[in-house]
Amino acid sequence: MKFKIFNLSGWYILLILLSGWFVTSSVIQPLLHFSFQQTGFYSGWEFLGNYSSYPGGIADYLAGFISQFFAFNTLGSFLIVAVASLQGFIALNILKRFSGELKFRFTAFALIFLFGILVLCDYRYPYYASIRLLLAFLFTWRFSVINFRSPKASLMAWPVLAVLLFYLASGSSLFVFALSSAIIAVVQNKQRIWLSVIPIFLAVSALILYTGYKFLFQITLKNLYGITMVKPPEQLAYTPGILIYAYYAVFPLILLIVWIYLRFRRTETVLEAAPAGKSKKSEMPVAKIRFYKKDLFSVSIQLIVFGLLGYFLLNKYHDTAKKKLITIEYLAENEQWADLLKYSKTIDKYDFRVNFQVNRAHAHLGDLSEHLFSYPQLLGVSGLFIDPTTMLGSSFVPTSDLYFDLGFMGESQRWAFEAETLLPNSPRILKRLVMINLVKRKYQLAGQFLKVLDKNLLCRDWVSKYSKYVSDTTLAASDQLIAEKRRFSPRTELYNVGTLQGLKLLLETNLDNRMAYDYLLSFFILDTQFPEFIEYLKYYSHFNLKKMPRSWEETLAIYIMKTKAFPSFVTQETISKNCLQQFTEFNKVVRSYKNDLPAAQSILHRDYGETFWYYLLYLNPKVTNVLKTKTDVR
Amino acid sequence: MIKKSIYLFAALILITLNSCHSKIENFTEVSRLPAIFPDYTGILIPSNMAPLNFTVQEPGTEYEVRIHTGEDNQMVVRSKSPSIQMGIDSWHKLLKKGMGEKLFVDVFVRQNDGNWQKFQPITNEISKEGIDNHLAYRLINTAYGVWNNLGIYQRNLENFDQKPILENKSFEYGCLNCHSFRHNDPNSMMIHIRAIHGGTIIIQDGKLRKIDTKNKYTLSAGTYPCWHPDGKHIAYSVNKINWHFGTGETRMEVSDEFSDIVVYDIEKNTLTTSPKVSTASRENLPNWSPDGKFIYFISAPVVTNLDDRIQGKYDLLRIAYDVNTNVWGSVDTIISSKKIGKSISFPKISPNGKFLMFCTSDNGYFTIHHPQTDLNLLNLETGEYHKMEINSPQTDSYHCFSNAGHWFVFSSKRIDGLFTRPFFSYLDDSGKATKPFVLPQEDPEFYNTFLKNYNIPELITGEVTVSPQAIRDKVLENAIAAKLDPSVDTLYMKSHLSSPKK
């Protein structure tokens, strides 16, 4: 039976594509890229205009169009695989044109495809880098076709292609194109003179880049030649690593290797030329091929090596911890509070963002005071409100969200505008601004943000719903969420309102604001402000609680122990006997270690790790001094 | 080939037929003005202004707008959409021919039943006087703590072309602000650069220099600038600025703990000041008189606490200063904040020296965030002042006179209460201003989706011809330190800066 290697390779390639798609959709998850980078793509000339003013902008625009579909995990994975495989297929086509059916062409495809997928292991990866490289591949392919037909014409076409590619995909793609096309020209045209195109193409590329920088574009030189651009916001600042360099270098390197290989093979062919008169194929004796020279073996070996390499690189470069943090943020964005709490248990290492969102999740589920210490509150109040002095770009949206939850529209809007400045295309932030302005009855402004969002393909349904609120303002008034925020939002004009004053202001505005009340008491507890805690605890009866939440009870127990008296509004029934009994036990353990706290920590952590008492002795930042360095909030 | 020609011919006929609309003869009259956006009704139009494109906010299936000064001077725009966009050349021909005349805009709207409605004609007027043909401004987001893409741009007011003067993406996203021109001259300009590659860029007749205006005897680098008419000196305030975030309609307040005034000599590269403008009070926002003999500025009392600082009110003062002899005169109070019960800011004198336009607000000087900020006009000949008729319930703030002095531009948030847009008005010799209109855009819906603010609009008489790349190259260089004028009383300045109040 005659075995066709193309079919075998084809099946293997299909296998690779399916594996790539599976890894992308289940491990990398484009949805998380979408959520983290807050991708927003808008129709209209104005949006396109922003991208047309700098080299590489058009590729960025295309990348924006494609990556908006990362919102759908399956479709996003398909698109990523499609782009990576298209690069691989272009490479195969070019290789086939000048070197025939090479045995290791499977590896060429697989390597390009592999790096095309693996670069997405970093959730800050700007997808435009893939599209820019794709354009470099396409231009190289075009050059190879022209060169194959007419080498002289290709030399005429090259500068045009180079300038066009520079505008479409910027400097790094231009250099990939220059090097690749130069090697292709050398391989396809055997005269020695063609070797000179390598330095010439590279020099002309450098000249195009410098001319663009010096006379045409307002962009830094680094952003012209770099693979990715250095630009705000900080939270999306991608640091190019070995993967992306390998991704950009792999194709020219393959061409270089093929060139060297072909030179070697040609020499071999000359040495082992068949004798004259035996040129007919049918007359050739069938030589016995050793097993390792068989295509099946060679391709299988390539597949195995590729599989192992892929597995190794995926393990090495996929940041699981970062993925978990992004997942937490994604669940918070979608208000999947129960799932968030469940998922947070899979994260072993403390993180202030998880701390912040876990608190928020509990508050939304109405049990923040009950479960305040279920997550280690290592940062004290900075786990409730991310410290604004750190001015972390990544904290702007969550902070705006929290203030919106609390009903503080002024603060929510302030942080939303900060976030909008850093991520001007983020639909999430624009939606937040719409909601804030609906609450504030600024319908015209809400309408303006809605008009922008309407240009986003994925926001049409949302826009359709809230546009009605602008045209018929009674709908906004009857919306439960908007109505509640209107009741809670402060109207007093104050400057420099800190977190604590803000919470008090919220309660002064409306005592029904249970979430603000929970946050305020949690603030006092975490900041160990006992007199203030007691002062505000007296309002607890307003909420008709059948049982006092655990963190309040535990704090109250300490207060009672310190003052040796119950506050006037607290009866013996208010605080459970179980709590007082536990507190007595806790103190007994401490005393049994003769107040040697380090020695008692392990046993106390086991039995009382999720109590205020344990927090007070071991986790409180006033004890640990962790906030002095602020390393945990960075 | 013949087939192709037939198709082409047919297409041409179709296009021609489509563009030749019959005159609307039958219509019902509506006895009110049509609702249009932006509001271009009852205004005076500079004879060289770009087309005032607008959207007809009336329901309909087709729209026709006839713009005319008379039967022999008109243009017609018919559109299936309510967006009315006019041809630039036809518009300018119409304005040129109709200078000094009334400009009528007849709006026809076709109803679902096919019948046309005609609204009362909008009546505007074409000024005989043109406006400076470019406007420079910074485009910024509505944030206070961070920035991203920033740029200073110039817009040709005769069409819709906008070009960058400098964008921060060309120098690692540093901050750029406070662009200023000498008497609307695009060839004499300065820009401050902050955070990254900091310094002050001064451009004069194509020559660029980068200066560090911070000196150990001054509070800070130069902040709010004003060019002397001779083009050789720039007055600056030097400020210690703080930001305060509000819970109400004033979302942010900017206040100065301290501030003084200095004058920079461009040729000598020296900074000078005087104990008269570097006092414990807070001197700020200097502005030269057109003859260059006086500096008008604002001043607020010394700060005793944070509340004072935020709620403090500024007076309008002036001081004589001779740039040739470097001699300072005495300080006069022009308008006292106590007298008017408002804080004064941004004094700007008309080029003919007759009027001084200024802002008033309840407190402070950073008026752009104060919804109650209004523009006022002081007649320098009579000493009378009044709140201008052009104000709106929203912020009306930073203003700039044209070179000839009648047209002026100012910043206003009147459209939506949030985003700052440039508005134009004409000030006649009696001090009366015409109804303001917003900077026209090619797409009349532009302001409904544009989420950036026009900051510091400055009218200029032509295009800034120095390329953004040349300015960027200068930004990337090291700044030359400004020297202190030897006549400055350094002992006083030292004690002034080190006193507990400073």
Side-chain angles (χ1 to χ4, degrees):
Chain A
M1 186 183 160
K2 200 173 178 183
F3 191 77
K4 283 189 177 176
I5 184 64
F6 176 76
N7 285 349
L8 179 67
S9 232
W11 281 112
Y12 279 171
I13 283 173
L14 185 64
L15 181 66
I16 284 187
L17 294 183
L18 288 172
S19 312
W21 179 74
F22 175 75
V23 167
T24 309
S25 63
S26 60
V27 181
I28 293 171
Q29 293 188 289
L31 175 66
L32 296 178
H33 273 268
F34 177 83
S35 172
F36 181 63
Q37 300 196 12
Q38 298 188 43
T39 311
F41 182 85
Y42 299 86
S43 58
W45 291 108
E46 196 192 312
F47 187 71
L48 174 61
N50 295 333
Y51 290 92
S52 60
S53 65
Y54 65 94
I58 300 299
D60 301 5
Y61 181 78
L62 289 172
F65 176 76
I66 293 171
S67 58
Q68 70 175 325
F69 298 110
F70 292 0
F72 311 102
N73 210 37
T74 310
L75 177 61
S77 308
F78 172 78
L79 289 171
I80 289 166
V81 167
V83 168
S85 57
L86 185 56
Q87 291 168 347
F89 285 126
I90 291 170
L92 278 185
N93 186 283
I94 293 169
L95 285 172
K96 193 179 172 186
R97 181 162 297 113
F98 68 76
S99 63
E101 298 285 348
L102 278 173
K103 277 184 182 170
F104 62 81
R105 67 184 184 283
F106 175 80
T107 299
F109 174 87
L111 276 176
I112 291 167
F113 179 77
L114 180 67
F115 287 119
I117 300 292
L118 287 177
V119 281
L120 282 120
C121 283
D122 188 330
Y123 289 94
R124 298 180 188 201
Y125 175 72
Y127 194 62
Y128 63 74
S130 295
I131 301 302
R132 287 179 177 192
L133 189 61
L134 175 64
L135 289 175
F137 277 55
L138 281 168
F139 275 63
T140 309
W141 170 77
R142 190 65 216 150
F143 174 83
S144 81
V145 171
I146 299 170
N147 186 266
F148 191 71
R149 287 179 193 155
S150 163
K152 276 185 185 170
S154 74
L155 287 180
M156 305 284 277
W158 192 88
V160 179
L161 289 172
V163 170
L164 188 60
L165 180 64
F166 172 66
Y167 175 66
L168 295 175
S170 199
S172 51
S173 295
L174 175 61
F175 282 113
V176 170
F177 167 71
L179 195 55
S180 307
S181 56
I183 296 170
I184 288 166
V186 171
V187 174
Q188 289 188 168
N189 306 280
K190 296 170 183 78
Q191 295 96 321
R192 199 171 272 271
I193 187 77
W194 280 89
L195 278 172
S196 60
V197 299
I198 297 177
I200 291 172
F201 281 10
L202 288 173
V204 173
S205 299
L207 187 68
I208 291 171
L209 193 146
Y210 186 73
T211 308
Y213 167 74
K214 198 69 189 167
F215 302 108
L216 294 174
F217 300 107
Q218 289 212 67
I219 190 165
T220 59
L221 196 56
K222 199 175 175 185
N223 279 347
L224 274 184
Y225 67 72
I227 296 175
T228 57
M229 294 168 75
V230 181
K231 59 179 182 179
E234 191 191 355
Q235 75 257 35
L236 294 185
Y238 173 76
T239 312
I242 186 86
L243 276 183
I244 196 167
Y245 290 129
Y247 184 34
Y248 266 64
V250 68
F251 184 49
L253 268 176
I254 288 169
L255 290 173
L256 201 64
I257 292 165
V258 170
W259 175 30
I260 295 164
Y261 170 76
L262 287 177
R263 283 176 70 86
F264 175 72
R265 194 176 69 172
R266 273 175 200 143
T267 314
E268 211 174 39
T269 310
V270 172
L271 288 173
E272 296 176 8
K278 284 191 175 182
S279 58
K280 282 186 182 175
K281 210 176 177 184
S282 58
E283 292 168 11
M284 292 279 284
V286 180
K288 196 180 176 187
I289 303 168
R290 290 179 184 276
F291 79 94
Y292 56 83
K293 284 194 173 176
K294 283 185 177 172
D295 288 331
L296 178 63
F297 178 80
S298 120
V299 175
S300 301
I301 286 292
Q302 289 179 62
L303 184 69
I304 291 164
V305 171
F306 165 75
L308 289 172
L309 182 69
Y311 180 77
F312 167 76
L313 291 175
L314 186 68
N315 270 310
K316 185 168 169 59
Y317 290 104
H318 183 246
D319 190 344
T320 316
K322 183 76 182 170
K323 182 185 169 182
K324 286 185 173 180
L325 292 180
I326 295 167
T327 306
I328 287 284
E329 188 57 38
Y330 170 77
L331 293 170
E333 179 189 347
N334 290 285
E335 303 191 343
Q336 294 170 248
W337 305 118
D339 292 340
L340 189 152
L341 292 175
K342 202 171 154 188
Y343 193 80
S344 69
K345 293 186 176 20
T346 67
I347 302 172
D348 302 326
K349 199 173 170 237
Y350 173 84
D351 187 274
F352 77 98
R353 285 155 290 211
V354 180
N355 190 173
F356 174 84
Q357 294 295 10
V358 164
N359 288 340
R360 205 171 144 228
H362 280 305
H364 272 278
L365 295 171
D367 58 10
L368 176 65
S369 307
E370 185 66 30
H371 296 291
L372 183 59
F373 296 102
S374 63
Y375 192 86
Q377 302 283 354
L378 293 184
L379 297 182
V381 292
S382 294
L384 287 176
F385 293 88
I386 298 171
D387 183 357
T389 58
T390 56
M391 287 299 278
L392 287 172
S394 59
S395 71
F396 293 163
V397 178
T399 304
S400 175
D401 287 346
L402 175 61
Y403 279 114
F404 186 84
D405 297 342
L406 291 165
F408 207 144
M409 293 304 114
E411 284 295 285
S412 181
Q413 180 168 262
R414 172 188 161 194
W415 294 108
F417 277 135
E418 298 288 338
E420 191 258 341
T421 299
L422 294 181
L423 296 161
N425 302 324
S426 162
R428 181 181 173 187
I429 298 165
L430 291 176
K431 284 179 183 176
R432 170 61 66 231
L433 285 165
V434 169
M435 294 308 291
I436 291 166
N437 283 291
L438 284 175
V439 172
K440 294 175 81 174
R441 295 183 178 84
K442 306 242 175 190
Y443 298 108
Q444 191 184 349
L445 275 175
Q448 277 180 232
F449 293 119
L450 280 165
K451 275 183 184 165
V452 177
L453 273 172
D454 195 34
K455 293 180 180 177
N456 184 304
L457 195 65
L458 308 183
C459 296
R460 295 275 158 86
D461 290 344
W462 197 91
V463 169
S464 168
K465 178 184 173 185
Y466 287 103
S467 292
K468 288 175 192 147
Y469 285 41
V470 175
S471 51
D472 179 1
T473 55
T474 58
L475 286 172
S478 57
D479 183 294
Q480 210 179 337
L481 179 75
I482 293 171
E484 183 196 79
K485 301 305 173 200
R486 282 180 179 175
R487 280 186 285 119
F488 291 167
S489 190
R491 289 171 200 94
T492 322
E493 289 260 9
L494 292 172
Y495 289 110
N496 296 334
V497 172
T499 311
L500 185 56
Q501 199 187 349
L503 287 170
K504 288 178 181 175
L505 184 62
L506 282 165
L507 285 176
E508 281 167 24
T509 307
N510 195 325
L511 193 56
D512 290 342
N513 191 342
R514 174 67 201 270
M515 192 170 178
Y517 188 66
D518 281 351
Y519 263 81
L520 181 65
L521 289 197
S522 300
F523 190 106
F524 292 138
I525 293 169
L526 292 173
D527 208 35
T528 59
Q529 295 187 31
F530 296 108
E532 290 258 50
F533 170 75
I534 296 297
E535 190 192 325
Y536 276 86
L537 185 65
K538 67 184 172 204
Y539 299 112
Y540 83 97
S541 55
H542 179 79
F543 299 100
N544 296 320
L545 301 174
K546 287 178 183 162
K547 179 190 168 293
M548 192 174 273
R550 193 173 161 190
S551 65
W552 300 358
E553 271 191 330
E554 289 166 0
T555 313
L556 194 55
I558 290 196
Y559 180 81
I560 292 167
M561 183 198 77
K562 277 187 167 180
T563 57
K564 295 188 172 43
F566 282 82
S568 58
F569 61 92
V570 174
T571 63
Q572 294 215 354
E573 288 74 39
T574 314
I575 183 163
S576 70
K577 282 179 186 169
N578 184 38
C579 175
L580 291 172
Q581 199 177 338
Q582 272 197 323
F583 186 47
T584 312
E585 293 294 328
F586 179 89
N587 284 323
K588 266 187 197 171
V589 176
V590 174
R591 277 197 298 274
S592 70
Y593 282 88
K594 293 176 183 166
N595 290 331
D596 181 356
L597 294 179
Q601 184 169 8
S602 158
I603 189 96
L604 287 174
H605 181 261
R606 192 193 65 195
D607 297 335
Y608 303 97
E610 293 185 7
T611 65
F612 173 61
W613 313 315
Y614 182 82
Y615 166 84
L616 198 61
L617 295 183
Y618 298 105
L619 306 182
N620 184 359
K622 289 179 182 174
V623 174
T624 58
N625 287 324
V626 72
L627 285 173
K628 280 191 177 166
T629 56
K630 288 190 176 171
T631 47
D632 274 325
V633 285
R634 287 223 169 258
Chain B
M1 187 65 194
I2 295 167
K3 215 173 179 181
K4 272 186 183 172
S5 303
I6 291 169
Y7 284 142
L8 194 68
F9 184 66
L12 276 169
I13 289 176
L14 275 173
I15 291 165
T16 315
L17 284 176
N18 198 38
S19 59
C20 295
H21 300 292
S22 55
K23 196 175 176 185
I24 301 166
E25 302 281 354
N26 298 316
F27 52 80
T28 51
E29 293 213 22
V30 182
S31 59
R32 63 171 173 88
L33 290 174
I36 64 167
F37 177 82
D39 181 5
Y40 293 135
T41 62
I43 58 170
L44 183 69
I45 305 166
S47 56
N48 58 338
M49 183 53 84
L52 303 180
N53 294 340
F54 60 87
T55 303
V56 181
Q57 294 178 315
E58 302 287 352
T61 56
E62 197 173 357
Y63 300 82
E64 182 169 307
V65 173
R66 291 179 197 165
I67 306 145
H68 57 96
T69 58
E71 278 300 312
D72 60 336
N73 187 28
Q74 66 168 330
M75 65 186 289
V76 179
V77 180
R78 190 179 276 201
S79 164
K80 290 280 181 194
S81 92
S83 174
I84 305 300
Q85 299 189 33
M86 306 162 208
I88 293 175
D89 290 342
S90 316
W91 168 261
H92 280 299
K93 273 182 201 160
L94 190 139
L95 288 194
K96 199 175 173 188
K97 205 170 172 186
M99 273 201 293
E101 294 176 22
K102 290 211 182 307
L103 181 79
F104 301 100
V105 182
D106 299 334
V107 176
F108 296 83
V109 179
R110 190 177 220 156
Q111 302 302 294
N112 285 332
D113 58 9
N115 293 321
W116 287 92
Q117 283 186 332
K118 185 193 174 194
F119 290 83
Q120 267 190 2
I122 295 164
T123 309
N124 294 322
E125 197 179 333
I126 305 167
S127 168
K128 285 179 182 168
E129 198 177 312
I131 192 168
D132 295 353
N133 61 14
H134 278 73
L135 183 73
Y137 43 80
R138 183 170 67 145
L139 291 177
I140 53 169
N141 287 82
T142 314
Y144 316 116
V146 293
W147 67 88
N148 191 344
N149 280 308
L150 280 180
I152 294 174
Y153 300 87
Q154 52 186 336
R155 161 73 193 271
N156 188 332
L157 294 179
E158 295 176 355
N159 53 45
F160 301 107
D161 293 347
Q162 178 184 272
K163 292 179 185 173
I165 293 174
L166 180 65
E167 291 178 310
N168 71 339
K169 65 184 179 194
S170 67
F171 59 96
E172 299 168 54
Y173 294 88
C175 182
L176 71 169
N177 51 34
C178 286
H179 50 284
S180 172
F181 298 86
R182 183 190 70 86
H183 191 38
N184 315 90
D185 178 5
N187 297 314
S188 299
M189 180 195 184
M190 62 131 289
I191 312 170
H192 288 315
I193 310 293
R194 311 274 191 218
I196 302 167
H197 304 293
T200 296
I201 302 292
I202 296 175
I203 304 165
Q204 273 191 309
D205 301 320
K207 191 184 168 196
L208 291 93
R209 59 191 101 189
K210 184 179 178 186
I211 311 295
D212 177 6
T213 52
K214 173 78 183 91
N215 189 282
K216 67 176 179 178
Y217 295 104
T218 58
L219 270 172
S220 69
T223 309
Y224 304 113
C226 182
W227 284 76
H228 188 274
D230 70 0
K232 295 173 186 169
H233 299 81
I234 305 174
Y236 288 108
S237 61
V238 283
N239 313 56
K240 290 278 183 202
I241 300 175
N242 286 99
W243 292 262
H244 320 278
F245 297 98
T247 57
E249 285 305 299
T250 305
R251 291 171 296 110
M252 190 186 70
E253 183 61 272
V254 174
S255 78
D256 289 1
E257 204 172 353
F258 322 108
S259 58
D260 296 328
I261 285 172
V262 300
V263 174
Y264 174 67
D265 185 321
I266 298 171
E267 286 181 351
K268 293 180 188 161
N269 187 33
T270 54
L271 278 168
T272 191
T273 186
S274 158
K276 293 172 183 173
V277 288
S278 293
T279 69
S281 295
R282 293 172 285 162
E283 298 84 4
N284 205 351
L285 302 178
N287 193 267
W288 294 95
S289 58
D291 59 10
K293 291 178 180 170
F294 294 94
I295 299 174
Y296 285 75
F297 62 100
I298 60 169
S299 178
V302 64
V303 167
T304 49
N305 58 48
L306 184 63
D307 199 42
D308 270 2
R309 205 164 96 195
I310 294 172
Q311 299 303 335
K313 291 181 172 61
Y314 282 85
D315 301 323
L316 176 63
L317 312 175
R318 79 169 185 181
I319 186 168
Y321 175 64
D322 188 332
V323 290
N324 298 316
T325 58
N326 195 10
V327 174
W328 297 81
S330 54
V331 176
D332 296 323
T333 301
I334 307 297
I335 304 176
S336 158
S337 59
K338 277 185 190 147
K339 191 177 165 192
I340 63 170
K342 293 274 185 183
S343 184
I344 297 166
S345 56
F346 297 107
K348 297 275 183 83
I349 301 172
S350 61
N352 61 9
K354 194 174 176 186
F355 298 109
L356 186 148
M357 204 181 285
F358 61 98
C359 296
T360 51
S361 53
D362 290 347
N363 61 293
Y365 75 95
F366 211 85
T367 50
I368 199 69
H369 297 301
H370 295 198
Q372 82 295 141
T373 301
D374 285 322
L375 287 167
N376 299 262
L377 197 69
L378 167 69
N379 186 324
L380 289 169
E381 290 167 358
T382 63
E384 290 171 355
Y385 55 87
H386 67 276
K387 190 168 131 179
M388 294 178 78
E389 51 279 80
I390 56 172
N391 288 300
S392 73
Q394 298 294 342
T395 308
D396 297 294
S397 180
Y398 190 91
H399 46 284
C400 172
F401 283 103
S402 65
N403 184 261
H406 285 115
W407 287 105
F408 65 96
V409 62
F410 65 98
S411 303
S412 180
K413 293 179 186 282
R414 67 184 61 196
I415 292 180
D416 51 40
L418 178 67
F419 295 108
T420 311
R421 313 300 190 198
F423 280 74
F424 302 95
S425 174
Y426 183 89
L427 185 72
D428 68 19
D429 290 335
S430 68
K432 196 167 181 292
T434 57
K435 181 181 169 183
F437 64 94
V438 72
L439 171 70
Q441 302 289 349
E442 190 163 21
D443 175 7
E445 286 295 307
F446 176 83
Y447 293 114
N448 285 330
T449 53
F450 188 63
L451 305 184
K452 284 192 173 184
N453 297 278
Y454 286 79
N455 183 230
I456 315 184
E458 292 277 342
L459 284 164
I460 41 177
T461 53
E463 186 177 325
V464 174
T465 51
V466 178
S467 74
Q469 289 76 25
I471 304 176
R472 173 205 60 199
D473 289 348
K474 187 52 72 176
V475 170
L476 296 176
E477 288 179 12
N478 289 329
I480 299 162
K483 293 172 282 185
L484 193 73
D485 168 28
S487 68
V488 171
D489 183 348
T490 50
L491 280 177
Y492 169 81
M493 289 308 293
K494 210 171 174 182
S495 74
H496 169 62
L497 295 177
S498 61
S499 73
K501 284 173 186 169
K502 295 270 166 175

